[in-house]
Amino acid sequence: SGVGEDAAIPGLDLTRTPMVRRLLRPMGLPLVRVATLVSFVAVIGLCLAVPWSWLGRVSNTFIWSAWEPVVFGLFFLAGPVWCTICPLSTAARMAKKAGGREKPPASWVIRHGPWLSIVGFALIVWSERVFNSSENPVASGLLLACLIGAAVIFALLYKREVWCRHLCPLGRLATTLAPAAPLQLTARQQVCASSCSTHDCYKGAQNIPGCTVFHHPLEGQSAYRCKMCLDCLQSCPHRSARLQIRSPLIAVWNVDTNAKDLAMFAIAVSLLALGFVAAHAVPALATPLGLTAMCGTAIVVGVALHHLILRLASTDERKTTAIRAALAM
């Protein structure tokens, strides 16, 4: 969707800046990714092996007081840059190199991925409260280990990174916030149309894999799908793919009906956030049973409200307006 139709929002090209060029060196991004994965695994190991030691408590504090707010803030302020070095993605890539199937994503993954990612996000915040993860290193370690395990399993079952594209709760949050962020990865339409016949950016070239989230950089209208792995900047032989910085928030008003799954996530998570705020004032909602009921209600109402709004919006123009309003929240 979007190929050859709408150009990406104009922005300042960052592709040839010193920082990006350093990242694109053979040992640039891979080294950062491996270092992030090693530190992530170390934190999980400390939380599980020595949870009540000083190291275990410090590791757990780092997860909830530093890592989580920084990652969420980066999604809004810069875009899915955490996805660029995400340890879940790195672990999945390593597993894929070791072996695995090259099967296309199952239809159920594509069809149900939007609401499954909502459920996954609710489970993360639910477990944080129910198991008091900010004070319980074992619960935190198990949660992060499960996330890495899920990414690896789907990497072994399917081609590319199906978990990142369709199911990852954090990836869906990044995708939903991406239109508001200033970074975008796109391509020059004239170059792609006149000079390219191989589509290496999508299919891959030599040792550089194809787009891990099944996205062509020319799809400027839906650039929020990109996880900014930056592989296409290396695989494109015509230097058409480029990383840009644009005006913040402006891309929210450039999305269309292809972003309806993101609107559903935005509505459900907004209701979920209101529910957790209410739990601070209503003791009954703060119990495990109350939190479970509140999360389930927020998901069901959010998904139902999203479908109701789109059904009432009789034209594509009205649907697009509703989707943009949901993302603006």
Side-chain angles (χ1 to χ4, degrees), residues 13-258:
D13 192 355
L14 302 177
T15 311
R16 308 307 298 172
T17 58
M19 178 180 292
V20 176
R21 292 176 69 177
R22 280 195 292 270
L23 289 175
L24 296 180
R25 291 174 181 173
M27 292 304 294
L29 267 178
L31 184 61
V32 177
R33 287 171 177 153
V34 170
T36 304
L37 175 61
V38 170
S39 62
F40 208 72
V41 171
V43 166
I44 294 174
L46 290 171
C47 286
L48 295 179
V50 287
W52 309 118
S53 68
W54 177 81
L55 282 174
R57 291 195 299 270
V58 169
S59 298
N60 192 55
T61 300
F62 170 79
I63 293 171
W64 301 108
S65 299
W67 174 76
E68 184 190 46
V70 168
V71 168
F72 285 15
L74 281 175
F75 286 158
F76 180 74
L77 296 174
V81 291
W82 172 254
C83 298
T84 309
I85 60 171
C86 178
L88 278 64
S89 174
T90 303
R93 287 189 176 209
M94 289 181 173
K96 178 66 71 177
K97 290 181 179 179
R101 306 171 67 183
E102 288 298 316
K103 183 180 178 181
S107 58
W108 70 267
V109 173
I110 299 174
R111 185 168 61 252
H112 301 301
W115 69 265
L116 286 175
S117 61
I118 297 174
V119 173
F121 188 85
L123 283 174
I124 291 175
V125 292
W126 174 87
S127 65
E128 181 184 353
R129 299 298 181 88
V130 171
F131 297 110
N132 193 23
S133 297
S134 60
E135 301 294 335
N136 188 344
V138 174
S140 301
L142 288 174
L143 173 63
L144 298 183
C146 288
L147 289 174
I148 287 183
V152 169
I153 289 172
F154 277 89
L156 295 175
L157 289 177
Y158 301 105
K159 65 188 300 186
R160 307 192 186 184
E161 295 184 53
V162 170
W163 169 262
C164 296
R165 172 63 178 84
H166 296 287
L167 297 169
C168 180
L170 297 180
R172 185 71 63 168
L173 176 66
T175 305
T176 304
L177 291 175
L183 285 180
Q184 68 172 351
L185 202 151
T186 184
R188 290 175 288 181
Q189 181 176 333
Q190 291 183 343
V191 175
C192 294
S194 62
S195 304
C196 183
S197 60
T198 59
H199 304 289
D200 289 341
C201 59
Y202 183 83
K203 298 178 181 178
Q206 296 180 350
N207 295 325
I208 304 173
C211 180
T212 59
V213 289
F214 309 94
H215 176 82
H216 194 290
L218 189 57
E219 296 174 345
Q221 178 76 357
S222 56
Y224 43 80
R225 301 292 184 190
C226 175
K227 63 174 286 185
M228 290 191 182
C229 66
L230 305 186
D231 286 343
C232 60
L233 296 183
Q234 297 174 290
S235 60
C236 176
H238 309 291
R239 294 186 178 180
S240 175
R242 51 186 176 170
L243 182 66
Q244 291 182 324
I245 186 169
R246 63 195 177 189
S247 298
L249 302 177
I250 191 172
V252 172
W253 308 109
N254 200 46
V255 300
D256 55 19
T257 54
N258 291 315

Side-chain angles (χ1 to χ4, degrees), residues 262-288:
L262 306 186
M264 182 168 69
F265 185 92
I267 293 173
V269 170
S270 296
L271 292 177
L272 195 65
L274 291 175
F276 277 105
V277 170
H280 286 288
V282 182
L285 287 179
T287 64

